[in-house]
Amino acid sequence: MKHFIIIVLLFTSLQSNAQEVFHQNKESKKQKMIVYGSDSCHSCLDTKAFLKEKKVKFTYYDIDINKAKEQEMLLKLQKNNISIHTLSLPVVDNKGDVFLNKGNLQEFLKVLAKKIEKDEN
């Protein structure tokens, strides 16, 4: 009887963990755009305004005050073979597609608009 109870508890625990992983994966697929920037960066503020105007759901992290998110951003750039030596904000993670402003905000916003349009279709 003791073994039966242990097996039932083990099975219940595994099923619960599997459901949690499933829901986490489902949520990560729904994950919206992440913008890493600084509130002292005009391009970052303009990007936030652009996304709000387009009614795009996104999460914004100010890397000046959130050093953990700054490290997260740097790791994502590194994983995507994007040089951090000439880093220009904002950095956008659109469901794993990581890209950044390369100095020309208007061109960056055009690229961002194309990615938003692609996601909507």
Side-chain angles (χ1 to χ4, degrees), residues 84-102:
I84 60 172
H85 298 293
T86 56
L87 181 65
S88 181
L89 295 175
V91 172
V92 175
D93 177 353
N94 185 27
K95 300 175 187 170
D97 181 13
V98 179
F99 57 100
L100 55 98
N101 177 16
K102 295 180 181 172

Side-chain angles (χ1 to χ4, degrees), residues 15 18 21 38 41 43 46 56-57 62-63 76 80 83 91-93 102 110-111 120:
Q15 184 179 10
V21 168
S38 168
C41 163
S43 295
D46 290 347
V56 174
K57 292 183 181 178
D62 184 339
I63 62 168
K76 287 180 181 183
N80 286 277
S83 175
V91 172
V92 175
D93 177 353
K102 295 180 181 172
K110 284 181 188 176
V111 169
E120 290 174 350

